[in-house]
Amino acid sequence: QVQLVESGGGLVQPGGSLRLSCAASGGTFSRYGMGWFRQAPGKEREFVAAITWSGGITLLADSVKGRFTISRDNAKNTVYLQMNSLKPEDTAVYYCAATKYLNTVLRDSGPYDYWGQGTQVTVSS
């Protein structure tokens, strides 16, 4: 089993930046592909970004492409989501997730076996 814990959320003004972290424990972090999803109140969960275990392939949702980047540091068992040029519509609870599919990036939530508790991101002036 793998336990995932997100951190780094908070309140930021439009145009600002924030970096989310997801720390993994209880397993071999490098064996998992990772993804970020987000969910706003009353809305469905949506895909944000994904990365293979090696970090060699990344995928970003069109809505965040050019503003967000996903990366990982397997030595620290941590995956990151760097968020720049934040907009009010980015406001949501952000979740990280892990999948046993190592070598491809997945935007569907089904293949992800482990999920973190989420961290709140609020973009407001």
Side-chain angles (χ1 to χ4, degrees):
Q1 305 95 305
V2 175
Q3 184 179 34
L4 306 175
V5 180
E6 302 96 335
S7 63
L11 175 65
V12 64
Q13 293 185 342
S17 298
L18 207 60
R19 188 179 75 162
L20 305 183
S21 299
C22 176
S25 63
T28 305
F29 179 73
S30 62
R31 293 176 58 244
Y32 295 89
M34 300 295 297
W36 285 97
F37 295 79
R38 66 186 183 186
Q39 187 169 26
K43 298 182 180 179
E44 295 184 349
R45 180 195 299 157
E46 66 174 338
F47 170 80
V48 177
I51 187 169
T52 56
W53 75 269
S54 69
I57 306 173
T58 60
L59 177 67
L60 296 170
D62 289 342
S63 60
V64 305
K65 195 173 298 182
R67 300 187 297 121
F68 291 11
T69 58
I70 184 171
S71 62
R72 67 192 299 162
D73 185 344
N74 288 352
K76 297 180 179 180
N77 288 343
T78 302
V79 63
Y80 304 97
L81 184 68
Q82 178 66 47
M83 305 184 294
N84 299 324
S85 301
L86 283 162
K87 304 174 181 179
E89 50 263 45
D90 295 318
T91 296
V93 176
Y94 284 71
Y95 300 89
C96 69
T99 174
K100 294 181 179 179
Y101 294 95
L102 307 180
N103 302 315
T104 188
V105 285
L106 304 168
R107 65 170 62 246
D108 184 71
S109 62
Y112 291 89
D113 301 301
Y114 306 101
W115 294 82
Q117 84 287 351
T119 185
Q120 176 71 48
V121 173
T122 302
V123 185
S124 177
S125 60

